[in-house]
């Protein structure tokens, strides 16, 4: 039996996806060849890439709205610099809500003036700043929709006259948003979509081509768009597994369906964190993430007992990030409700025994 996998990333994928992916590694499409030993320019793989791109737009409700999809390499971390390389003319505005935003800001500073419109660093990123002004003369505004490490999530996004750029690595495809308010969305696959090794980028094409600097080909969105994500060899296996996950999500009922499941899972766990006298939530209640719940023991002398309990219950990946401590339960799309129940049961067992 599989363990309850609360790992923050790389993380849980649907069983059926793992099964299909492993079959394709041995024999893809019953063609007696492996997915990872055929040309990326062969029709079977080009179909995979096209399908992955089409599913992305379909699930986000962005078909026929001027958006294009890329599957690139280098992780979300490469997007920190690639967004600035391609979009920053003079000045960009950033919201700093955690480690990943902080890193995006550091990279963007290489390319121009940077205005940090607000930051929650003063309280170790345990809240989302709400009152801030975005300068109208900025080339774009960048934010992080879900802060994987701290467990906060933006519940609303500004409507702007300048491009809105968002790192959605850890909550893309998990909740309904009006995705058409965004001009560029990027997400590393390994948090909610597939294995590490590919990053999905969704771009409104009309925001490109405004900077005058020379952009190296591999970092140039236009070059990748012109080659349909095939400028160089794409990471065929991660793209294929991402496609399978998107198919799985579509078959389930898409984002509107999974959002309800995700809300149920998060409600179950946060209710227990709030009810159980042994635990505390780490972040501001109204800013809590439905993907990553961070919490801690009030009495740390119970740590060994609790750690033994959840390990005995076959729970994996519950330790908090080293910069936060405590615990972090990552409840991505593929994590079943019964896994959250298993965690809640161990929290209640600790209460009975403590
Ligand atoms: C994990 C993560 C990243 C970094 O992703 P890599 O693919 O490892 O570069 C960036 N942003 C967010 C929000 C993340 O959760």
């Amino acid at each position: 039996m599989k363990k309850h996998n609360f790992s923050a990333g790389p993380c849980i994928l649907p069983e059926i996806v793992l099964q299909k992916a492993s079959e394709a590694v041995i024999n893809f499409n019953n063609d007696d060849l492996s997915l990872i030993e055929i040309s990326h320019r062969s029709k079977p793989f080009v179909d995979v890439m096209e399908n992955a791109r089409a599913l992305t737009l379909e699930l986000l409700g962005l078909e026929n709205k001027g958006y294009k999809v890329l599957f690139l390499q280098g992780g979300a971390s490469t997007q920190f610099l690639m967004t600035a390389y391609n979009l920053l003319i003079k000045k960009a505005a950033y919201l700093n809500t955690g480690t990943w935003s902080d890193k995006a800001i550091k990279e963007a500073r290489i390319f121009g003036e940077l205005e940090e419109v607000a930051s929650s660093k003063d309280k170790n990123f345990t809240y989302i700043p709400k009152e801030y002004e975005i300068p109208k003369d900025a080339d774009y505004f960048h934010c992080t929709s879900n802060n994987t490490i701290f467990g906060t999530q933006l519940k609303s996004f500004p409507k702007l006259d300048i491009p809105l750029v968002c790192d959605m690595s850890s909550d893309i495809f998990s909740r309904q948003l009006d995705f058409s308010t965004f001009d560029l969305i990027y997400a590393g696959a390994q948090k909610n979509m597939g294995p590490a090794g590919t990053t999905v980028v969704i771009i409104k094409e009309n925001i490109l081509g405004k900077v005058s600097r020379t952009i190296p080909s591999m970092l140039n969105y236009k070059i990748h768009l012109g080659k349909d994500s095939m400028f160089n060899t794409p990471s065929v296996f991660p793209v294929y597994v991402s496609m399978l996950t998107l198919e799985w999500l579509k078959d389930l009922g898409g984002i509107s369906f999974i959002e309800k499941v995700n809300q149920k899972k998060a409600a179950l766990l946060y209710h227990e964190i709030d009810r159980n006298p042994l635990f505390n939530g780490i972040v501001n209640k109204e800013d809590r993430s439905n993907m990553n719940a961070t919490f801690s023991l009030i009495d740390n002398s119970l740590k060994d007992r609790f750690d033994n309990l959840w390990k005995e219950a076959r729970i994996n990946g519950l330790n908090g990030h080293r910069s936060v401590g405590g615990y972090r339960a990552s409840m991505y799309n593929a994590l079943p409700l019964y896994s959250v129940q298993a965690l809640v049961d161990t929290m209640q067992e600790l209460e009975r025994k403590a």
Side-chain angles (χ1 to χ4, degrees):
M1 234 267 281
K2 186 171 169 146
K3 289 185 176 174
H4 302 290
N5 191 3
F6 288 89
S7 173
C11 67
I12 188 163
L13 289 170
E15 274 308 300
I16 180 77
V17 166
L18 296 176
Q19 240 162 41
K20 286 183 180 172
S22 54
E23 280 161 20
V25 169
I26 303 296
N27 185 355
F28 180 48
N29 278 356
N30 288 321
D31 199 27
D32 296 325
L33 289 167
S34 167
L35 166 80
I36 56 175
E37 60 178 9
I38 59 170
S39 166
H40 59 291
R41 306 212 182 271
S42 65
K43 180 155 188 333
F45 188 76
V46 171
D47 288 349
V48 167
M49 181 61 93
E50 302 270 293
N51 195 17
R53 298 168 81 203
L55 281 164
T56 301
L57 289 183
E58 185 185 341
L59 285 163
L60 298 176
L62 290 178
E63 290 161 303
N64 304 317
K65 288 183 175 162
Y67 289 86
K68 286 276 168 67
V69 178
L70 294 171
F71 282 88
L72 302 178
Q73 300 186 51
S77 300
T78 298
Q79 294 309 309
F80 296 161
L81 70 113
M82 212 165 149
T83 44
Y85 225 137
N86 286 264
L87 302 175
L88 207 167
I89 304 163
K90 190 166 178 291
K91 177 167 97 175
Y94 277 65
L95 177 63
N96 192 352
T97 54
T99 306
W100 299 117
S101 322
D102 217 31
K103 290 189 175 180
I105 289 168
K106 184 165 165 263
E107 298 299 302
R109 275 195 213 284
I110 298 170
F111 301 94
E113 194 187 325
L114 197 132
E115 190 166 326
E116 197 176 284
V117 297
S119 167
S120 47
K121 211 171 195 166
D122 56 338
K123 292 188 179 158
N124 199 29
F125 299 115
T126 49
Y127 70 103
I128 301 287
K130 313 239 170 24
E131 308 278 308
Y132 52 84
E133 254 179 64
I134 298 165
K136 289 191 172 50
D137 62 343
D139 300 319
Y140 63 91
F141 173 66
H142 178 286
C143 58
T144 311
S145 57
N146 185 68
N147 300 283
T148 327
I149 292 176
F150 302 92
T152 60
Q153 191 170 31
L154 268 67
K155 307 293 173 186
S156 64
F157 296 85
K159 289 229 171 0
L160 302 171
D161 294 326
I162 58 171
L164 176 56
V165 177
C166 189
D167 175 0
M168 289 196 192
S169 290
S170 50
D171 70 350
I172 192 164
F173 302 119
S174 75
R175 58 170 169 167
Q176 279 292 28
L177 292 171
D178 178 1
F179 292 99
S180 70
T181 58
F182 300 90
D183 296 275
L184 194 153
I185 297 168
Y186 61 88
Q190 72 275 19
K191 307 275 166 57
N192 216 6
M193 190 171 74
T198 192
T199 306
V200 67
V201 184
I202 302 121
I203 312 174
K204 196 153 197 191
E205 251 187 316
N206 66 4
I207 65 169
L208 297 176
K210 303 198 169 141
V211 297
S212 57
R213 70 172 65 87
T214 307
I215 306 171
S217 306
M218 274 297 282
L219 299 176
N220 191 331
Y221 291 126
K222 282 194 136 188
I223 299 259
H224 286 286
L225 284 172
K227 301 282 182 183
D228 292 335
S229 282
M230 298 269 197
F231 171 68
N232 71 323
T233 318
S235 47
V236 292
F237 184 71
V239 172
Y240 179 66
V241 182
S242 299
M243 184 209 79
L244 291 176
T245 309
L246 297 178
E247 274 180 346
W248 166 83
L249 182 56
K250 184 186 163 179
D251 289 346
L252 275 181
I255 296 180
S256 61
F257 174 85
I258 208 76
E259 178 177 39
K260 290 193 198 96
V261 180
N262 288 334
Q263 282 167 348
K264 239 189 203 167
K265 290 185 294 186
L268 176 62
L269 181 55
Y270 283 122
H271 177 265
E272 181 61 19
I273 291 169
D274 292 338
R275 185 211 60 81
N276 194 317
L278 303 183
F279 293 95
N280 255 344
I282 291 177
V283 304
N284 214 11
K285 274 190 190 173
E286 63 179 23
D287 301 322
R288 281 172 165 175
S289 163
N290 279 356
M291 292 281 100
N292 316 93
T294 51
F295 58 100
S296 57
L297 277 165
I298 291 169
D299 173 3
N300 226 25
S301 71
L302 294 173
K303 181 172 167 26
D304 286 348
R305 233 192 285 180
F306 182 54
D307 289 356
N308 283 334
L309 278 178
W310 59 262
K311 281 170 194 164
E312 273 166 28
R314 296 173 51 78
I315 285 171
N316 172 66
L318 203 64
N319 286 321
H321 189 272
R322 58 195 178 278
S323 59
V324 181
Y327 300 97
R328 170 174 53 168
S330 297
M331 302 174 281
Y332 298 118
N333 285 353
L335 185 86
L337 183 67
Y338 61 75
S339 288
V340 181
Q341 188 60 55
L343 172 57
V344 167
D345 289 347
T346 64
M347 294 164 78
Q348 294 180 351
E349 198 178 338
L350 182 72
E351 185 189 8
R352 279 194 303 276
K353 290 186 177 166

